[in-house]
Amino acid sequence: MIENSIENNTHLPLLQFATPKVMAASEIYIPEGKIFKKIFYIKKGILRNFFVTKSGEEKTIFFRWEGQIVAIPECIFDNQPTRQTWQALEDCELMEIDFDMVEKLSENNISLIKTRLGLAQKMLLEALKRVESFVLDKPEERYQKLIREKPEIIKRVADKHIASFIGVTPVSLSRIRKRLASQKK
Amino acid sequence: MIENSIENNTHLPLLQFATPKVMAASEIYIPEGKIFKKIFYIKKGILRNFFVTKSGEEKTIFFRWEGQIVAIPECIFDNQPTRQTWQALEDCELMEIDFDMVEKLSENNISLIKTRLGLAQKMLLEALKRVESFVLDKPEERYQKLIREKPEIIKRVADKHIASFIGVTPVSLSRIRKRLASQKK
DNA sequence: TAGTGAAATTATCTTTTGCTAATTTTTGTC
DNA sequence: GACAAAAATTAGCAAAAGATAATTTCACTA
């Protein structure tokens, strides 16, 4: 399923300038501190972005997978270096597009700006849903929702990454899994 | 400080159609279930939006205050009824703008769409920062950050609303406050 | 200013999580 | 298929949070 297609409409000019990028699983795509002024489309694979805490732990904030268009908000919106690291979790195939190009093309292309607005809105709804879940749900419920709503993604990602995604330690997630398994019987 | 001014630039057409709305403290502004197709500018006062859980508890998701432009994402982006309630926490003065009007004006006004894009991006950065804090910080740290970064807002809002905002119960927030107070000495 | 209701704090008890370390299981590679 | 490294689980203990209820403090209004 294509989540944010760039292959279906009036934005062919973008694709013209897209360049392919291939990465192996576990490879670092974007290191912390970089001002990454590209957007990219994921043709294949999963990536995650994470913070490294003072004590060296990696805290995963989001997963991104095939069909999605990704922009790093702080870089693209604010021209700031990202404090996070982006890593391929599987062998990935991306299509990169220079963002300065997008900006230039946007100047007099109202349809392209509308596309950008749509993408920002989509990302916002996703982030808000996440906030909701942190406010309303216990970790156990967040985990259950995740299995229910994104089962195929969960299977492809290590539990330790899921753990920080829902805001708990890997040990705690393991206990949650155990509790849920015993309740089912 | 004006956070998202609509009074300073090329968007006077919007202001033309804005209508004032005054509310008393504790009044419900937007009830759950409504498709609220307006955006509003807060001239004065604070509002909150909250979910009501099955057990009847109110869980506050955001606060909005003077200087901000507010759009209810699910209503404006997706034409969906909101599952949240909006309530004035102080006497408020708002300026309401019909969103259909904004859409119509946007069609051939690239600058207005850019403004909308900017607003969506701003909201996204805010929501992402919130997600970060849930993943990286303990409730105690979230509370400390809040006091540090929004001291004037915190003072104007009841603790029980702060509590759900940072994802804990009012009782737990009270204990956090006690712990912090004892550490200071 | 006295009285009422809501908010905040405190107390008690239970559940969950974090931390650390040990153990088991899984994964990937040679 | 054997080995090494990483991931996941388990265990034990301390800290924090949830639930409930009682008590104190605060805020509003009559």
Side-chain angles (χ1 to χ4, degrees), chain A residues 93-158:
Chain A
E93 292 173 23
L94 312 180
M95 293 298 285
E96 294 182 332
I97 299 163
D98 181 66
F99 185 68
D100 292 335
M101 180 74 64
V102 176
E103 285 245 278
K104 203 165 290 170
L105 291 170
S106 295
E107 299 227 338
N108 53 6
N109 183 335
I110 202 162
S111 145
L112 183 51
I113 296 202
K114 283 181 182 170
T115 299
R116 288 172 60 189
L117 175 60
L119 183 57
Q121 289 178 346
K122 192 177 158 63
M123 291 171 74
L124 175 57
L125 288 174
E126 180 192 26
L128 288 176
K129 211 176 161 201
R130 191 90 181 282
V131 171
E132 270 180 46
S133 191
F134 277 112
V135 170
L136 298 176
D137 304 329
K138 292 180 294 188
E140 184 169 314
E141 292 164 330
R142 284 199 290 281
Y143 180 62
Q144 285 178 299
K145 277 191 184 174
L146 206 52
I147 313 180
R148 202 181 322 130
E149 290 165 17
K150 303 263 186 288
E152 68 297 340
I153 300 301
I154 298 308
K155 281 178 214 140
R156 291 160 66 186
V157 168

Side-chain angles (χ1 to χ4, degrees), chain B residues 10-125:
Chain B
T10 58
H11 309 304
L12 287 175
L14 284 188
L15 259 198
Q16 247 184 310
F17 300 110
T19 58
K21 165 97 182 175
V22 174
M23 313 187 59
S26 88
E27 213 174 307
I28 299 299
Y29 177 38
I30 307 167
E32 183 186 337
K34 188 159 194 170
I35 303 178
F36 191 78
K37 299 283 274 185
K38 294 176 188 168
I39 61 175
F40 57 97
Y41 173 77
I42 307 175
K43 287 179 75 170
K44 182 172 159 296
I46 300 192
L47 298 101
R48 69 169 179 135
N49 54 314
F50 62 92
F51 283 89
V52 180
T53 66
K54 292 161 202 161
S55 58
E57 291 163 300
E58 297 180 355
K59 303 285 192 177
T60 298
I61 303 294
F62 275 106
F63 302 104
R64 296 293 173 206
W65 55 87
E66 56 278 341
Q68 296 183 320
I69 293 179
V70 183
I72 303 187
E74 61 271 31
C75 300
I76 296 296
F77 303 164
D78 279 355
N79 214 39
Q80 297 278 319
T82 180
R83 295 161 300 148
Q84 300 182 46
T85 305
W86 285 75
Q87 180 188 34
L89 294 179
E90 297 175 350
D91 295 346
C92 286
E93 292 173 21
L94 312 181
M95 294 298 285
E96 293 182 332
I97 300 163
D98 181 66
F99 185 68
D100 292 334
M101 181 73 66
V102 176
E103 283 244 280
K104 203 166 291 171
L105 291 171
S106 295
E107 300 230 335
N108 52 6
N109 183 336
I110 201 161
S111 144
L112 184 52
I113 297 201
K114 283 181 182 171
T115 299
R116 288 172 60 189
L117 176 59
L119 184 57
Q121 289 178 345
K122 193 177 156 65
M123 292 171 75
L124 175 57
L125 288 174

Side-chain angles (χ1 to χ4, degrees), chain A residues 8-24:
Chain A
N8 65 350
N9 54 21
T10 58
H11 309 307
L12 286 175
L14 284 188
L15 259 199
Q16 246 183 314
F17 301 109
T19 57
K21 165 97 181 176
V22 173
M23 314 188 58

Side-chain angles (χ1 to χ4, degrees), chain A residues 58-106:
Chain A
E58 297 180 354
K59 303 284 191 177
T60 298
I61 303 294
F62 275 107
F63 302 103
R64 295 293 175 206
W65 54 87
E66 55 277 342
Q68 296 183 319
I69 293 179
V70 183
I72 303 189
E74 60 272 30
C75 300
I76 296 296
F77 304 166
D78 279 354
N79 213 40
Q80 296 279 320
T82 180
R83 295 161 301 146
Q84 300 183 45
T85 305
W86 285 75
Q87 179 187 35
L89 295 179
E90 298 174 350
D91 295 348
C92 285
E93 292 173 23
L94 312 180
M95 293 298 285
E96 294 182 332
I97 299 163
D98 181 66
F99 185 68
D100 292 335
M101 180 74 64
V102 176
E103 285 245 278
K104 203 165 290 170
L105 291 170
S106 295

